[in-house]
Amino acid sequence: MSEVIVRKQRPKHLALNQIKLPLPGIVSILHRVSGAGLFLLLPFLLYLLDRSLGSPETFETFAAVVDNWFIKLVLFGLLWAYLHHFCAG
């Protein structure tokens, strides 16, 4: 009796753009990204907290920093990251 083993042809290179992740997989990846973003931008948030709670002069610095459109975009992204990390965690 001879046994013939049929091996499935495996690809040499994995095409990552053709893999369809299920929804929990995407949520898991975004959970990790949001956690990393929160961790990396924590010093910036602490700086803003320090500027907002100090004297009236430091509050002026806080208001000037937060008035920038790019900083508003970053803070909106941090809000999304916090809410996503909270809900998906």
Side-chain angles (χ1 to χ4, degrees):
M1 282 186 14
S2 65
E3 292 184 22
V4 177
I5 299 175
V6 178
R7 295 191 144 225
K8 186 177 177 182
Q9 288 289 343
R10 293 185 177 214
K12 290 183 180 181
H13 303 288
L14 189 60
L16 294 176
N17 59 349
Q18 295 178 354
I19 295 176
K20 300 292 183 194
L21 280 176
L23 184 61
I26 295 171
V27 170
S28 174
I29 291 171
L30 290 177
H31 181 77
R32 291 171 190 246
V33 168
S34 65
L38 288 172
F39 177 74
L40 292 175
L41 289 175
L42 187 62
F44 176 67
L45 289 175
L46 290 175
Y47 168 75
L48 288 180
L49 179 66
D50 179 51
R51 295 289 99 186
S52 69
L53 295 177
S55 65
E57 291 81 19
T58 61
F59 185 77
E60 297 282 332
T61 306
F62 167 76
V65 168
V66 174
D67 193 37
N68 188 351
W69 68 270
F70 182 72
I71 300 300
K72 287 181 183 179
L73 185 66
V74 168
L75 290 175
F76 184 73
L78 280 171
L79 177 64
W80 170 84
Y82 174 73
L83 290 175
H84 179 80
H85 203 75
F86 180 77
C87 293

